[in-house]
Amino acid sequence: MNSVEGVDVGEDEEKMLRYPGGIAVDNEGGFIYIADSGNHRIIKLDSEGKFLGQIGSGKKGLLDGDLSSSEFNFPQGLCLDRSDRSILYLCDTYNHAVRRINLNDQKVETLVGNGSKGSSLSEGKSGREQQIALPWGCDLDFEGNLVVSMSVWHQLWSINTRTGVAYRLFGSGMEACRDSDKEKVAAFAQPSFVSFDSDRRILYVADAESSTIRKVDVKNKIVETLVGGDPNNYFNLNAFGDLDGVGRNAKLQHPLGVKFVPSRNSLLVADTYNNKIKELDLLSNSLKSLCGTGRSGEVDGDASECQFNEPSVIDLLDEERVLIVDTNNHRIREYQFKSGQVSTFF
């Protein structure tokens, strides 16, 4: 038996992921945090994939407290505070809550939400008084606010991490793919995982139901679509496909994950229903398939021959290595830019 953050788990249980749905890499510390969604816990790995511990009891619930007894309900998006690497933010999706994990104090607290699904018309409250609904992905902006995708509301919200006050940032609430320079006119369709650029002023959004990648200028309040979807009808949510290309001519199918890659000035996209990882060059706005045949499966090897089963989210282990949450295979996979090889990491 291994004592893991106060929770005893067997060696077999360590490796048993169940529909993992989130990842955050601490590049400086050499640690990886995985939202093991179906097991209602967060696991911690080292940079070689060795199991180091877990956060949460593994019981489904909404309970704050120490790392061993706290409870989650199908957690998804994870975000590491780059200014204080002891802090993790977590979208506790089915609890309709956002949690904060303090690794130094070994405590879990609820930042926003109380376990009940709220109304998108109610905002400006803090803590458990502010009800939210199905938070999915999150990242910190240039002011230290946590931007959260509220998937079922088709909106992006902002949470002040100091006060816990939450409010709607972008999105009318209408399910559509509408660009606009008015933040409450712009529309999304199940926004999922999100990723800021290096300056943390431009947010990239995997807009799953519209099968698009969206660009959000947080400072200037502008929303635009980079690739995918139907440029002529923002209500058309059936303009999906699997096609490399430039701009709106390229097609995706229900992408869940997106990650900004500074060294390549590109985005990595988890094209979930196409079982592929794709790369979007931000200079040319050109989308190309990076790895995956498109068939669902679990095959390692060359990028052109490997297979995934609904990959959902991506993070960078370093400039050359990418970690992919391969949700329906219950695995974490690794892709290397230089070799073009895919392997099973955990």
Side-chain angles (χ1 to χ4, degrees):
M1 301 286 283
N2 294 300
S3 182
V4 180
E5 305 290 2
V7 179
D8 288 331
V9 297
E11 291 183 5
D12 289 341
E13 190 177 346
E14 290 179 8
K15 292 279 189 178
M16 290 176 62
L17 294 176
R18 188 163 183 249
Y19 300 105
I23 187 170
V25 177
D26 178 359
N27 302 102
E28 293 183 39
F31 302 121
I32 301 153
Y33 300 92
I34 307 291
D36 187 11
S37 307
N39 286 320
H40 314 295
R41 64 177 182 169
I42 310 303
I43 68 168
K44 182 179 180 180
L45 310 176
D46 70 12
S47 58
E48 300 303 319
K50 180 183 177 181
F51 183 89
L52 299 177
Q54 80 175 51
I55 301 168
S57 68
K59 296 178 181 178
K60 181 170 67 174
L62 177 58
L63 182 65
D64 290 341
D66 60 53
L67 300 187
S68 62
S69 63
S70 56
E71 296 176 357
F72 310 104
N73 188 356
F74 215 81
Q76 293 281 324
L78 278 167
C79 172
L80 183 74
D81 189 336
R82 302 297 176 184
S83 64
D84 181 354
R85 299 188 347 266
S86 68
I87 302 296
L88 274 172
Y89 293 98
L90 170 68
C91 292
D92 195 2
T93 303
Y94 284 13
N95 271 330
H96 310 293
V98 173
R99 316 288 290 277
R100 178 161 50 200
I101 301 168
N102 190 314
L103 300 169
N104 283 345
D105 294 344
Q106 298 194 13
K107 296 292 183 182
V108 176
E109 63 177 323
T110 299
L111 188 62
V112 168
N114 59 18
S116 297
K117 182 179 177 181
S119 166
S120 63
L121 300 177
S122 177
E123 58 182 303
K125 300 176 183 177
S126 64
R128 289 178 177 260
E129 292 185 0
Q130 177 63 63
Q131 292 181 322
I132 57 176
L134 292 177
W136 206 271
C138 58
D139 205 356
L140 289 160
D141 71 8
F142 65 100
E143 294 181 320
N145 299 309
L146 190 70
V147 178
V148 180
S149 59
M150 301 294 180
S151 57
V152 72
W153 288 344
H154 316 297
Q155 294 173 343
L156 302 176
W157 279 49
S158 179
I159 301 173
N160 187 309
T161 56
R162 296 175 296 278
T163 65
V165 174
Y167 64 93
R168 178 173 50 135
L169 192 62
F170 292 93
S172 65
M174 172 178 64
E175 186 178 19
C177 180
R178 186 177 188 180
D179 295 343
S180 179
D181 59 0
K182 298 178 176 60
E183 64 267 36
K184 304 301 171 62
V185 173
F188 298 88
Q190 196 183 311
S192 298
F193 291 103
V194 298
S195 179
F196 270 106
D197 69 356
S198 298
D199 294 332
R200 302 199 169 273
R201 296 173 185 270
I202 302 296
L203 182 73
Y204 298 101
V205 181
D207 201 27
E209 277 298 294
S210 69
S211 296
T212 62
I213 302 300
R214 316 289 294 278
K215 176 183 176 182
V216 180
D217 186 329
V218 174
K219 183 179 180 180
N220 296 309
K221 313 297 184 185
I222 299 171
V223 177
E224 61 179 305
T225 303
L226 297 180
V227 293
D230 184 346
N232 300 311
N233 181 1
Y234 52 74
F235 285 117
N236 180 10
L237 302 181
N238 294 313
F240 53 80
D242 182 7
L243 183 65
D244 293 350
V246 178
R248 306 301 296 272
N249 291 322
K251 297 301 176 189
L252 302 160
Q253 187 173 6
H254 202 84
L256 287 178
V258 63
K259 180 65 179 180
F260 177 69
V261 186
S263 63
R264 298 167 69 90
N265 192 31
S266 69
L267 299 178
L268 293 179
V269 178
D271 193 2
T272 305
Y273 283 6
N274 282 326
N275 301 303
K276 287 184 176 182
I277 304 302
K278 298 183 177 180
E279 185 173 25
L280 175 61
D281 184 283
L282 291 172
L283 184 61
S284 64
N285 206 27
S286 177
L287 182 74
K288 67 175 182 179
S289 297
L290 201 61
C291 53
T293 65
R295 295 185 298 273
S296 62
E298 187 180 352
V299 178
D300 289 338
D302 188 78
S304 62
E305 299 174 355
C306 69
Q307 294 179 358
F308 304 96
N309 193 350
E310 297 195 9
S312 62
V313 61
I314 305 164
D315 207 344
L316 305 176
L317 193 55
D318 53 42
E319 289 189 355
E320 286 297 329
R321 295 185 294 168
V322 177
L323 293 182
I324 301 159
V325 177
D326 194 7
T327 299
N328 285 2
N329 276 329
H330 317 289
R331 297 284 186 266
I332 307 301
R333 313 285 290 281
E334 178 183 331
Y335 170 76
Q336 296 190 12
F337 285 117
K338 186 175 292 185
S339 68
Q341 295 293 303
V342 172
S343 59
T344 298
F345 183 80
F346 186 84

